[in-house]
């Protein structure tokens, strides 16, 4: 029996949603950092096995949103519910059951979709804390299954996939077998660059940054050479100065790290050139949000 369907990975920020999807797909198609609210867009990852096609949708973390950008992120996550077959709710087992987890579980009680709960980061907790947590979670929500796992180590992933498969509808391949995401090469390149900005900068800069790919061009004579030019946008002149760094050192570090990841992903030599510009208040401006690809789908 062959099954196929859509699985929305939902949860609070920084619980490991992107790490989980990347591990399942076997490629880094969603960026991951230790900082919350890294994922801004809905990203699809497609996993195939002999008995099914699993279409995972990585969503932004659900959190209390105040800025237009953050509200769009949360809206993107919530709208995903209506177009999927299964909800995979991920929580951070290391932090235990937070009040925000309780509220999220409560908000899902009316959904007709099957919900599987993944307890991520079990590699970081003592085993004797796990069973009491599972018992409490069973009391809190209506779950088809509760699966302890470690997305970073891959523990519990096969069990999770089997539980998901049981609840997927019968159906054919919905996407070509060699397709692993619905996102373009330009989108992935921009996200890789943004990831390096997040990892190397601090305070407000990671959250005030947008990346746009201006040029993505394969060499006509040698398709294993790709030229990428990208503009990193921030909100303030002071942020631009930090991002460039003294004598351009920070921007060079960002470019070097991004180039390494891009060469691995595209299996090509990458020529990468980065620019920095200031667009004051872009995270508060709906027109600019649309310009940078953060739209209400």
């Amino acid at each position: 029996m062959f099954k196929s369907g859509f699985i929305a990975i939902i949860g609070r920020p920084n619980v490991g949603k992107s790490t989980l999807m990347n591990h399942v797909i076997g490629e880094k198609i969603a960026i991951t950092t230790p900082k919350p609210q890294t994922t801004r867009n809905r990203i699809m990852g497609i996993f195939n096995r002999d008995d099914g096609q699993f279409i995972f949708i990585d969503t932004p973390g659900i959190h209390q949103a105040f800025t237009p950008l953050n509200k769009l992120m949360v809206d993107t996550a919530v709208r995903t519910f209506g177009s999927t077959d299964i909800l995979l709710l991920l929580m951070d087992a290391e932090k235990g059951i937070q009040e925000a987890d309780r509220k999220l579980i409560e908000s899902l009680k009316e959904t007709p979709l099957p919900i599987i709960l993944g307890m991520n980061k079990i590699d970081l907790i003592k085993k004797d804390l796990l069973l009491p947590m599972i018992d409490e979670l069973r009391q809190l929500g209506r779950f088809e299954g509760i699966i302890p796992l470690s997305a970073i180590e891959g523990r519990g992933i096969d069990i999770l996939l089997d539980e998901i498969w049981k609840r997927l509808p019968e159906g054919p391949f919905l996407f070509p077998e060699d397709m692993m995401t619905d996102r373009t090469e330009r989108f992935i390149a921009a996200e890789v660059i943004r990831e390096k900005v997040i990892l190397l900068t601090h305070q407000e800069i990671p959250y005030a940054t947008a990346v746009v790919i201006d040029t993505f061009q394969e060499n006509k004579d040698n398709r294993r050479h790709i030229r990428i030019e990208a503009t990193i946008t921030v909100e303030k002149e002071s942020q631009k100065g930090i991002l460039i760094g003294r004598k351009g050192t920070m921007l060079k570090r960002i470019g070097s790290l991004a180039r390494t990841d891009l060469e691995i992903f595209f299996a090509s030599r990458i020529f990468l050139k980065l620019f920095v510009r200031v667009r004051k208040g872009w995270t508060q401006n709906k027109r600019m949000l649309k310009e940078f690809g953060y739209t209400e789908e």
Side-chain angles (χ1 to χ4, degrees), residues 11-19 22 28-43 58-63 69-70 73 187 190-199 206-207 209-210 282 294:
R12 296 188 298 109
N14 218 33
V15 296
K17 297 183 294 295
S18 298
T19 301
N22 287 342
K28 186 175 180 178
I29 59 174
I31 64 173
T32 59
T33 79
K35 298 176 183 177
Q37 299 165 31
T38 294
T39 300
R40 289 178 177 171
N41 301 83
R42 178 198 62 78
I43 302 172
D58 182 20
T59 62
I62 298 173
H63 59 282
L69 173 59
N70 287 65
M73 288 161 59
F187 175 88
E191 286 289 271
V192 168
I193 296 165
R194 189 168 67 86
E195 178 188 67
K196 305 315 173 191
V197 172
I198 294 172
L199 290 171
Y207 307 104
T209 300
W282 75 263
Y294 305 117

Side-chain angles (χ1 to χ4, degrees), residues 126-158:
K126 295 178 180 178
K127 289 183 179 179
D128 58 353
L129 298 177
L130 198 55
L131 286 177
M133 207 183 305
I134 290 173
D135 288 339
E136 184 175 351
L137 288 165
R138 284 198 182 110
Q139 301 299 316
L140 289 175
R142 173 189 59 79
F143 302 115
E144 300 283 325
I146 299 177
I147 314 297
L149 58 92
S150 169
I152 201 162
E153 293 185 353
R155 290 162 56 188
I157 302 296
D158 288 340

Side-chain angles (χ1 to χ4, degrees), residues 8-18 35-42 57-66 69-82 84 87-92 95 98-109 111 115 117:
I9 310 174
I10 65 171
R12 296 188 298 109
N14 218 33
V15 296
K17 297 183 294 295
S18 298
K35 298 176 183 177
Q37 299 165 31
T38 294
T39 300
R40 289 178 177 171
N41 301 83
R42 178 198 62 78
I57 302 173
D58 182 20
T59 62
I62 298 173
H63 59 282
Q64 190 172 10
F66 298 102
L69 173 59
N70 287 65
K71 288 175 181 175
L72 275 174
M73 288 161 59
V74 173
D75 287 347
T76 296
V78 173
R79 282 198 306 275
T80 302
F81 296 3
T84 57
L87 295 182
L88 171 55
L89 173 60
L90 212 61
M91 65 166 286
D92 185 340
K95 292 183 178 177
Q98 304 286 306
E99 183 59 29
D101 293 312
R102 297 175 189 276
K103 288 181 179 179
L104 181 52
I105 291 170
E106 179 67 28
S107 72
L108 296 174
K109 282 189 173 178
T111 179
I115 306 171
L117 176 64

